[in-house]
């Protein structure tokens, strides 16, 4: 019986981990360059500024892969930071 309880605990803990990761994720549609650089592995100050500049010129990112449009962002950066990137778009009435 102890084995079953341990298995259930591990399963529940593992399945809930992505939910916690999203709460700690940086929203690239609202974060400033300093926060993006600080929170995302492999993102330099220059790349972080490009991410913000692109967003301001073209509107919000709809997917994490949209970051590939930024010079200096490779798929590896997205993959490493997949659980740390949030692309939620807030409407004008949302806060």
């Amino acid at each position: 019986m102890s084995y079953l309880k341990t298995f259930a605990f591990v399963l529940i803990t593992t399945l809930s981990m992505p939910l916690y990761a999203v709460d700690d994720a940086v929203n690239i549609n609202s974060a400033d360059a300093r926060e993006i650089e600080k929170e995302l592995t492999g993102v330099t100050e220059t790349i972080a500024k490009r991410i913000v500049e692109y967003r301001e010129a073209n509107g919000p990112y709809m997917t994490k892969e949209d970051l590939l449009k930024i010079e200096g962002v490779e798929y590896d950066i997205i993959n490493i930071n997949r659980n740390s990137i949030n692309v939620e778009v807030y409407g004008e009435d949302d806060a």
Side-chain angles (χ1 to χ4, degrees):
M1 191 65 152
S2 177
Y3 172 75
L4 185 58
K5 287 181 181 179
T6 302
F7 177 76
F9 174 77
V10 170
L11 181 64
I12 291 169
T13 304
T14 303
L15 292 176
S16 66
M17 287 175 71
L19 298 175
Y20 294 116
V22 171
D23 291 341
D24 295 334
V26 60
N27 187 330
I28 59 172
N29 286 319
S30 61
D32 62 20
R34 179 174 288 176
E35 182 180 1
I36 293 170
E37 176 190 6
K38 178 182 170 194
E39 298 297 328
L40 300 182
T41 302
V43 174
T44 64
E45 179 182 359
T46 300
I47 293 173
K49 287 179 181 178
R50 289 178 186 155
I51 290 170
V52 172
E53 289 168 0
Y54 182 92
R55 178 185 74 214
E56 290 173 349
N58 299 289
Y61 295 94
M62 302 309 287
T63 68
K64 296 171 186 183
E65 285 71 19
D66 283 347
L67 288 172
L68 293 171
K69 299 173 183 176
I70 308 303
E71 182 183 346
V73 175
E74 302 293 331
Y75 187 76
D76 288 346
I77 289 177
I78 296 171
N79 198 36
I80 290 168
N81 293 292
R82 186 156 301 278
N83 291 332
S84 299
I85 300 170
N86 180 350
V87 292
E88 187 171 354
V89 179
Y90 298 104
E92 291 180 4
D93 293 336
D94 298 334

